Amino acid sequence: MNVLDILDTLQNKALHDEQLRQTLLATRTEKNPITAFCKKCQDLGYPIYEMDLIQAGEEFYASMRRSTNGGGENSPMLEGEDDFYELFIASIS
């Protein structure tokens, strides 16, 4: 499973399990939210690590930029599109 598959699986589970949803949402209040989120994922048996999450977001964003206007300087600047943690939290909020 890749990072996107893990996040999709967790999203579906969290939307059907209120306790899991609240547990994952609670990571927002931690000193290091991404680290806390990844630790929770690992505790649940999903091998996701901080750098995996960050790299997946950056790769997705770079791919999106390349697909618009040739990916050059005229490509639109997108905000927050590379932050899979925040996108995930928003999707279960």
Side-chain angles (χ1 to χ4, degrees), residues 10 17-18 20 35 48 50 74 76 81:
L10 282 171
D17 181 340
E18 185 61 24
L20 174 60
T35 301
I48 188 168
E50 293 92 335
N74 295 326
E81 295 298 323

Side-chain angles (χ1 to χ4, degrees), residues 7-25 88 91-93:
L7 293 176
D8 187 49
T9 300
L10 282 171
Q11 178 186 23
N12 289 328
K13 286 185 175 188
L15 292 174
H16 293 95
D17 181 340
E18 185 61 24
Q19 183 177 1
L20 174 60
R21 183 177 160 279
Q22 291 303 320
T23 297
L24 295 173
L25 288 173
F88 177 83
S91 75
I92 65 170
S93 292

Side-chain angles (χ1 to χ4, degrees), residues 48-71:
I48 188 168
Y49 300 90
E50 293 92 335
M51 285 310 300
D52 295 334
L53 193 58
I54 292 166
Q55 183 178 4
E58 288 177 356
E59 287 175 0
F60 181 77
Y61 180 73
S63 174
M64 208 172 10
R65 291 225 5 147
R66 283 191 303 273
S67 71
T68 57
N69 296 330

Side-chain angles (χ1 to χ4, degrees), residues 22-40 85-86 89:
Q22 291 303 320
T23 297
L24 295 173
L25 288 173
T27 62
R28 294 179 296 182
T29 61
E30 297 289 331
K31 181 177 179 183
N32 295 307
I34 293 175
T35 301
F37 175 77
C38 290
K39 176 74 171 108
K40 293 289 183 193
Y85 170 74
E86 287 297 330
I89 292 297

